[in-house]
Amino acid sequence: MNSLKVFTFFNIMFLLCHSAQSQQEILKIEGVVLDQAKSSVPYAAIGIPSKWIGTSSNEDGDFYLELSKENVLDTLEISSIGYITSKILVKDFIESSEKTITLEEDIVSLNEVNILNPAQYVKLAFKNLKNNTVSSVHELKILNRFFAVENDEAKFFVEHYIKVKDVGPRGGNNVNSIEVVEGRKSADYRYFKNERSRNMYPINFMIMIDPLRRGLPISNYKWTKIGDSSYDGEDIVIIQGVSNTKERQNYSDPVFYIGVDTYKVYKTRNRPSNVIYIYKKNKDGKLYLSYHNHYTRRFKDLNEHQQKILRTKSKKAKLAFRNEIIVIGLETDKRKIDTKDSDVYDKKMQDVSVKYNLLFWKNFNLPPPTEYYKKSIKELESIYNVPLETQFNSVNK
């Protein structure tokens, strides 16, 4: 055995041993967040804020979190809008037979006499936005998922793991520092593949429609308090804005969940709830984006030829798009931020060329699948009875 072979052999053995040792040090925490009625609590924040470790539950309350053995004596904090924050030692959660976190509802009924005018809360929320959010340069590690749906059936799926360098809501209405690290696509079964849509990567579309990022002419809206809630011990007012302009759209009418004492915005959505933003706290109590999804749809006129091909008597086809953004990591140390600039910000997600790395996706710790995700994947696989993994291997290069 020559010196080069010996060197290579021992390096491989070192890497294998190091990999095995690293895997032994990882604690894989899985569970579900429920309320007292045993219903799931979606988008709950689960983590160790003091150490910048955290995740969120999915739409079904399921969560997955990787920790190290050094975190065994740390405290997991579980919080969600409308519930009393729960705390449990990592050690105790690991040793429990049922991996369930039960949150107690926080009943809030704010006295109307003791709260501000709704419009005043919105003004104060925007005024304090920079101080209440992570507004220094930071890097978000994101799992980005896109589904194209025709007539209520998923026909195409794209998934990217990306890094985004940003400064939060104070950063304006676009982000140029986007790096697509890994990606994969399903087979494309869409009939309407070339329909017009914005040449914009989903992150920038998300930012463009974000009321906190784009700002609002507050006086152009009628603001109404529509409910009470709480988050992590702070009372929340839920305030809805309805545009009083002639060309108003329900789609863009905002709903804000604002802290009564701090004016922090813990959640935003639009009036019909097909656009949602969830924020969670870092160790300093400042908020950053945790989860977002938007669902859009429109109708396409069909001619007789298209009706025949699609085997339908309907004169219109329903085209829908759903984009989901799950923030799985936050980095604020400027020395560790290494997002590479790219030109994807003005491209559709499905048009971005990404080399498929099977090993990456096999080792990537995906969040628990939601019911929508499972339903959509099942639809994709049933078209020609081709498993998704087979589609990935055949379609991606």
Side-chain angles (χ1 to χ4, degrees), residues 377-395:
I377 296 305
K378 185 177 180 180
E379 289 168 354
L380 275 170
E381 293 181 329
S382 66
I383 295 173
Y384 290 110
N385 293 319
V386 180
L388 186 63
E389 289 298 326
T390 303
Q391 294 182 38
F392 287 151
N393 291 330
S394 62
V395 171

Side-chain angles (χ1 to χ4, degrees), residues 53 63 69 83 88 100 109 131-132 137 147-148 150 183 229 266 278 297 314 345 350 358 383:
I53 298 170
F63 68 89
K69 288 187 177 180
Y83 297 91
I88 184 172
T100 302
S109 182
N131 291 331
N132 283 337
V137 175
F147 283 99
E150 295 181 354
S229 192
Y266 294 103
I278 307 289
R297 70 175 185 178
S314 175
Y345 59 89
Q350 58 267 36
L358 177 61
I383 295 173

